[in-house]
Amino acid sequence: MAEVKNILLVGVGGQGIILASKILAQGLISAGYDVKMSEVHGMAQRGGSVTTQVRYGKKVYSPIIGKGQADIIVSFEKMETLRWLDHLKVDGKVVVNDYEIPSAPILIGDAKYPENVIEILKEKADTTIFKAADIAKELGNIKTMNVVMLGALAKAMGLEEVDWGKIVKNNVKEKFVNINIKALNKGMEQVK
């Protein structure tokens, strides 16, 4: 692959976005790509916006994705998708976890959660929606929704042959390995 691909992962602090991005980057490296990753997390521990940028290809010189350059935006919280939509290429794709985490201004009553987020996204981009949180709850741990999202992304990117189990094992505590591997597989099942 001569072309560099750009994946932007967005969400809210505490959703495991950085862990999912690290696992994704390691999977891409094991698939033979040059990979660059950057992360931005401001008030992450207080529910603030968190983004990571993963770029991969034959040779990647910079980890930064500019506006209008993302091939895929993977959103762990649907309002965050709107915040980052200007980074999507004209023909880019959006994968959205249909899940809401109200920001601090919404919680104290200074703002309202936007209405019809999914409809707005569908009008503006090629959008795939699924409920990763529900899948993670069924598995017994909602915190695995990040790995459900990662599994769906890996399948959509055609990276099923990567040894994701080994990479997950190297990145999570031993007692959480099995449930995270189940979450990864459930995510892959969401993509046909």
Side-chain angles (χ1 to χ4, degrees):
M1 174 199 296
E3 184 183 1
V4 173
K5 294 288 187 180
N6 303 309
I7 313 294
L8 179 62
L9 297 97
V10 303
V12 173
Q15 288 193 285
I17 296 162
I18 294 172
L19 174 63
S21 301
K22 286 180 179 175
I23 294 171
L24 173 63
Q26 290 174 20
L28 288 165
I29 290 168
S30 74
Y33 295 109
D34 185 32
V35 179
K36 298 286 186 286
M37 178 184 147
S38 69
E39 57 191 66
V40 177
H41 40 97
M43 300 288 281
Q45 292 181 341
R46 297 183 183 174
S49 181
V50 173
T51 65
T52 61
Q53 302 181 0
V54 177
R55 303 186 73 220
Y56 70 99
K58 186 174 180 183
K59 183 65 185 165
V60 180
Y61 295 98
S62 167
I64 305 301
I65 300 171
K67 289 183 179 178
Q69 295 181 337
D71 294 282
I72 303 173
I73 294 178
V74 181
S75 178
F76 294 66
E77 198 283 333
K78 64 184 182 183
M79 184 172 69
E80 288 297 316
T81 323
L82 293 176
R83 193 185 311 264
W84 291 94
L85 201 55
D86 63 350
H87 280 65
L88 189 68
K89 280 183 175 176
V90 171
D91 60 345
K93 297 182 185 290
V94 176
V95 178
V96 182
N97 180 18
D98 189 359
Y99 189 70
E100 293 180 8
I101 299 177
S103 64
I106 293 170
L107 289 174
I108 62 172
D110 283 352
K112 288 187 175 183
Y113 196 94
E115 294 182 9
N116 306 318
V117 172
I118 297 297
E119 289 76 16
I120 294 168
L121 291 172
K122 285 181 175 178
E123 288 176 12
K124 295 186 175 188
D126 180 355
T127 303
T128 301
I129 302 141
F130 70 102
K131 294 182 180 280
D134 291 352
I135 294 167
K137 282 180 192 171
E138 287 174 16
L139 291 172
N141 187 338
I142 193 168
K143 291 186 174 185
T144 62
M145 84 170 107
N146 62 334
V147 180
V148 172
M149 297 288 292
L150 175 63
L153 178 62
K155 175 83 179 278
M157 294 170 67
L159 297 170
E160 301 98 305
E161 302 305 318
V162 169
D163 187 353
W164 293 107
K166 180 181 176 186
I167 296 170
V168 166
K169 188 175 179 182
N170 290 337
N171 283 281
V172 302
K173 290 181 182 174
E174 187 176 338
K175 65 182 179 180
F176 298 118
V177 168
N178 288 339
I179 195 166
N180 277 287
I181 290 174
K182 288 178 184 174
L184 188 82
N185 291 333
K186 281 288 186 184
M188 287 186 173
E189 290 172 10
Q190 304 305 308
V191 178
K192 304 299 176 209

